[in-house]
Amino acid sequence: EQAVATLVANQPLQAMTGAFHGAAWCDLQGNILQLREDVGRHNALDKLLGHLRRSDVDLSQGFVLVSSRASYEMVYKSSRCGAATLVAVSAPTALALKQAREAGLNLIGFARPGRHVVYHRAIEE
C-alpha cells in the first residue's frame, strides 16, 4: 500500500508532463527503492529490470510496481528476470493472467491505497 501511495511522488517526469509511466522496485515493506520513467510503459519496465539485473538485486525480496495495466509482456519480462511479484495500478489483461499462472508469478492489479485485487498468488512449497 505504501508503494502505491508514494508512486506519483517518486515520478518527477510524470509530475512535470503528465505523460510518463513509472516502473518501481519496492522492498517487502513497500518502500520504493528504484524507479524508472518513460513515455512507454514497457520501456519504463525494461529500464527498471535492466538496472536491477545489472545491480544483482535479489528479486525475491520485493516486488515490481507499474503505473499502468499489466500486459502479458510485462508478466513475461518480470518473471524471466526473477521477480516474484508484479503489481499494477490498473487491470491485467486476460493473457497476463494466464502467463502469470503458468510462470508462477504473483500478480496484483487495481492497486490503490487501501485496496487491490490479487489475481494470481504463487503457491509456496
Side-chain angles (χ1 to χ4, degrees), residues 96-117:
L97 295 173
K98 180 180 184 290
Q99 187 90 26
R101 194 172 300 112
E102 291 172 359
L105 180 81
N106 297 319
L107 181 58
I108 298 169
F110 289 111
R112 303 281 196 282
R115 68 180 175 91
H116 60 273
V117 177

Side-chain angles (χ1 to χ4, degrees), residues 7 37 39 48 67 73 86 91 112 121:
L7 181 61
E37 292 181 283
V39 293
L48 176 70
S67 66
E73 297 99 337
L86 174 62
R112 303 281 196 282
R121 182 179 309 230

